[in-house]
Amino acid sequence: MSITITPTSATLGAIVTDVNLSALDDAQWPTIEDAFHQYGLLIFPGQHLDGQAQIAFARRFGDLEILVEDMTSIPVSNKDEEGELLEDDSFRMQLLMGNEGWHTDSSYVHLAAKASVLSAHVVPKQGGETEWADPRAAYDALDEATRKRIADLAAYHSYFYSQAKIGHKVAVGEAYGFFEGEPPLRPLIKVHPVTGRPALYIGRHAGQIPGFDLPESEKLLDELMTFICQPPRTFMHRWTPGDVAVWDNRCLLHRARPYDHREEREMIHTRIKGEVASETSLNG
Ligand code: OGA
Ligand code: MN
């Protein structure tokens, strides 16, 4: 049986069926990798990967980031180790609520991420979807004057900045050592290392553009974000347990959608490292 790839009606994303990711063979890999480059986001319904199979699938894309305490896969879950629901003001819930702002993974560390794999295990009855946006298509649609204006600009990507902006405390970032030294400085336009396609590369961690004062910088970045994150450049997935998604952090933005935190939501996240040559910050 050959793999079926069904593009969404947005400018990004495809649904991939007729494939078993737990038993992916080498002959099938180029089809998936090509689709990943073309669509940026692939959703594989009903895979029910176990922990090892998720890691093996993620490893196809490259080396994995160590996220916390030697773990390559981490639960993105609103329960603690005892299975108790987290309080909204808890340290971990603050991290999760940060995910509700448009972002790209690990842009706040000097080597940004290449891709992320996310699988659904327990989902709330309502809300808790994930949504992606397409900064490649946004760049294509930008007017020439704006393209020129931003061509040589860069912004600092700081986790301290993004969490502080939503009222969360310094401690969140400090605990992970995210801002020892200067935060990474990244060009506003990123050229994809494989496809050569330019994309806006910003998101909630991007705040200060050198040479601009902060309000001026935030105004420009907000305008660009609003332009990116509108139809047909967004796609939302309503999860069913067993679904798996992989997306390209080099050219897409994503966010979690809100839900009632008294309900359980449990996802598993595995993150693939960027390449040193293409994902290192300007000052890294
Ligand atoms: C992430 C993330 C979104 C979600 O895992 O990096 O942003 O919907 N998740 O949980
Ligand atoms: Mn994320």
Side-chain angles (χ1 to χ4, degrees), residues 76 99 103 105 118 129-130 239 247 254-256 265 267 269 271:
V76 173
N99 283 343
H103 63 283
D105 290 332
L118 191 66
E129 302 90 345
T130 304
W239 297 96
W247 66 87
H254 64 280
R255 65 172 176 179
R265 182 177 192 262
M267 317 287 288
H269 177 122
R271 194 172 297 178

Side-chain angles (χ1 to χ4, degrees), residues 2-284:
S2 66
I3 300 178
T4 304
I5 294 170
T6 310
T8 70
S9 55
T11 59
L12 74 155
I15 314 299
V16 186
T17 51
D18 300 322
V19 63
N20 176 0
L21 292 185
S22 300
L24 195 63
D25 62 49
D26 290 347
Q28 292 173 309
W29 171 244
T31 306
I32 291 181
E33 191 179 34
D34 289 351
F36 170 75
H37 289 138
Q38 183 170 355
Y39 300 108
L41 162 72
L42 302 178
I43 305 232
F44 301 87
Q47 293 288 335
H48 298 277
L49 298 185
D50 66 22
Q52 277 196 334
Q54 176 156 334
I55 287 173
F57 176 58
R59 283 281 297 120
R60 293 261 182 185
F61 294 86
D63 293 339
L64 304 184
E65 273 189 34
I66 305 292
L67 292 165
V68 276
E69 290 152 9
D70 298 336
M71 288 159 69
T72 48
S73 286
I74 52 158
V76 173
S77 160
N78 63 341
K79 283 174 294 179
D80 63 19
E81 279 75 18
E82 282 75 50
E84 299 290 327
L85 289 172
L86 299 169
E87 299 292 331
D88 275 358
D89 61 1
S90 68
F91 171 84
R92 278 170 54 184
M93 205 62 202
Q94 292 197 348
L95 285 173
L96 292 181
M97 290 187 320
N99 283 343
E100 293 177 10
W102 288 111
H103 63 283
T104 182
D105 290 332
S106 299
S107 73
Y108 47 79
V109 293
H110 284 280
L111 184 65
K114 174 178 186 178
S116 296
V117 173
L118 191 66
S119 58
H121 297 265
V122 182
V123 300
K125 284 194 291 293
Q126 269 183 18
E129 302 90 345
T130 304
E131 194 174 18
W132 289 266
D134 190 350
R136 308 168 302 177
Y139 184 80
D140 293 346
L142 269 189
D143 60 85
E144 201 51 43
T146 310
R147 282 193 190 175
K148 283 218 178 72
R149 180 171 179 222
I150 67 174
D152 299 317
L153 298 180
Y156 286 106
H157 288 238
S158 159
Y159 195 82
F160 170 61
Y161 168 80
S162 52
Q163 288 300 96
K165 213 173 162 187
I166 57 171
H168 297 164
K169 297 292 171 268
V170 185
V172 175
E174 271 175 352
Y176 288 96
F178 285 157
F179 22 89
E180 285 155 15
E182 198 175 61
L185 182 64
R186 303 184 176 284
L188 261 50
I189 299 165
K190 181 173 174 70
V191 174
H192 194 283
V194 177
T195 66
R197 229 182 134 178
L200 291 165
Y201 188 88
I202 50 178
R204 74 185 193 99
H205 306 303
Q208 180 70 60
I209 298 174
F212 283 46
D213 62 33
L214 189 58
E216 198 186 6
S217 180
E218 289 182 329
K219 181 166 175 288
L220 173 59
L221 294 172
D222 282 351
E223 283 168 9
L224 293 170
M225 286 299 292
T226 303
F227 184 71
I228 298 169
C229 302
Q230 58 172 292
R233 298 187 280 272
T234 56
F235 174 77
M236 191 172 84
H237 182 61
R238 160 115 210 114
W239 297 96
T240 299
D243 294 352
V244 174
V246 60
W247 66 87
D248 192 332
N249 282 303
R250 300 166 297 185
C251 59
L252 297 189
L253 290 164
H254 64 280
R255 65 172 176 179
R257 300 303 292 144
Y259 63 99
D260 181 344
H261 296 161
R262 289 165 301 184
E263 279 194 70
E264 291 177 24
R265 182 177 192 262
E266 190 183 339
M267 317 287 288
I268 306 277
H269 177 122
T270 313
R271 194 172 297 178
I272 297 98
K273 275 188 196 171
E275 313 281 347
V276 173
S278 47
E279 276 68 65
T280 303
S281 64
L282 294 172
N283 55 344

